[in-house]
Amino acid sequence: MNSILTALLLIGIISLIGGALLVIAAKVFFVTEDETAKEIELVLPGANCGGCGYAGCAAYAKAVVTHGAPVSLCAAGGAPVAEKVAAIMGVEANAASEFKAMVACRGDLEHTRKRYDYVGIRTCHACNVLYNGDSSCPFGCLGYGDCARACRFGAITVENGVAHVDPTKCTGCGVCKSVCPKKIIFLYEPAANEGKENTMPIVMCSNHKKGADTRRECTAGCLGCGKCIKSCPNGAIFINGNVARIDYQKCTGCHTCVEVCPVHAIQLPDFVRMAAGGES
């Protein structure tokens, strides 16, 4: 009986010592929460999308206060949030660039075919491991929706085997770009050049094979025929890796290349076509 009491007493003493040590440690290592960072975090969207380059909204708020990070990095919040953060910090809001995600592929099920019947895990990454994916185009969208699942804003849907971005929901955070195993999603800046907002076309193809091979794999793929180069009055188009590319420093948005492309691989961004009442 005495041994049991002794054991209980020892346990009680050890518990009291341990509790005292925890209290002391909490006092010694206590970090005062920066009220300014907390205030900034409250005006951020709370999406924790990582588009700002930091681990989440709290990390970004702390970086603004302690490391002088720019107040306009929140892709999800855009200019309104940048102005609020600037007001809290007592600085001037820098002009925030607005980006939209674009999927450089038109190889849907009408333009491509399946090379084999894939029955594995229904993700783009898993499918891509097996012979570069099941699509006849080894460079194109696989359509299993990794980007759609990663998007916190519901801006991406998979239609007829190809991912599409809803520009009205896209915040330009870039998460979809980072998860795409084919690396065919890029960020497009509509207002990159004064006077050319929303008008610069995009090459909607990522196939780097020669024209004849591309044609066999996807009927919507760039053939590298050069018609766009010859028609461009500003010399803004060139061929790189058998695919047409646009120099946006030279492009004036005349859309001649869009009109002459025989396979319609060059198109206007989705938000321009939507505004005009065309297909998205």
Side-chain angles (χ1 to χ4, degrees):
M1 191 65 164
N2 287 336
S3 60
I4 295 175
L5 291 174
T6 302
L8 290 173
L9 183 61
L10 286 173
I11 292 172
I13 292 171
I14 292 171
S15 299
L16 288 172
I17 294 173
L21 289 174
L22 287 174
V23 171
I24 293 170
K27 295 285 186 182
V28 172
F29 297 106
F30 177 74
V31 177
T32 304
E33 185 175 15
D34 193 299
E35 292 300 324
T36 305
K38 191 64 179 176
E39 190 177 354
I40 290 175
E41 187 181 352
L42 289 174
V43 302
L44 294 175
N48 293 313
C49 61
C52 58
Y54 294 91
C57 294
Y60 173 49
K62 184 177 180 181
V64 171
V65 175
T66 60
H67 301 298
V71 299
S72 58
L73 294 183
C74 180
V81 168
E83 291 174 4
K84 292 178 182 177
V85 176
I88 293 171
M89 293 298 295
V91 298
E92 210 172 300
N94 300 321
S97 297
E98 182 183 1
F99 291 91
K100 299 293 182 182
M102 296 287 159
V103 182
C105 178
R106 292 185 61 244
D108 57 21
L109 298 178
E110 294 178 10
H111 297 98
T112 61
R113 65 186 185 281
K114 293 294 183 182
R115 293 190 293 120
Y116 58 84
D117 186 17
Y118 177 66
V119 294
I121 301 171
R122 311 300 279 183
T123 68
C124 300
H125 273 277
C127 183
N128 192 51
V129 171
L130 192 61
Y131 304 110
N132 247 355
D134 58 355
S135 173
S136 58
C137 176
F139 300 92
C141 178
L142 293 171
Y144 289 104
D146 290 19
C147 52
R149 286 186 291 273
C151 180
R152 295 175 180 268
F153 307 97
I156 304 180
T157 55
V158 176
E159 302 169 15
N160 201 22
V162 173
H164 292 271
V165 180
D166 183 344
T168 63
K169 296 179 180 178
C170 177
T171 64
C173 69
V175 172
C176 55
K177 175 184 175 182
S178 66
V179 302
C180 177
K182 294 297 187 180
K183 305 302 177 186
I184 60 172
I185 301 179
F186 66 99
L187 296 181
Y188 175 88
E189 188 176 11
N193 294 290
E194 189 66 29
K196 295 189 288 188
E197 290 89 343
N198 300 356
T199 63
M200 292 181 288
I202 296 172
V203 180
M204 302 293 286
C205 179
S206 302
N207 194 316
H208 293 285
K209 292 187 179 181
K210 292 182 178 180
D213 294 327
T214 297
R215 189 68 177 176
R216 282 192 289 269
E217 295 171 347
C218 176
T219 56
C222 175
L223 303 174
C225 64
K227 286 187 176 181
C228 51
I229 296 176
K230 296 173 184 176
S231 68
C232 180
N234 303 293
I237 306 180
F238 58 98
I239 299 293
N240 183 24
N242 298 314
V243 183
R245 292 288 179 253
I246 300 173
D247 183 344
Y248 290 117
Q249 295 301 315
K250 297 179 180 178
C251 177
T252 60
C254 69
H255 306 163
T256 302
C257 56
V258 177
E259 297 167 3
V260 301
C261 180
V263 292
H264 308 293
I266 304 178
Q267 297 197 355
L268 296 182
D270 284 344
F271 42 86
V272 176
R273 284 182 281 134
M274 288 175 68
E279 290 185 3
S280 60

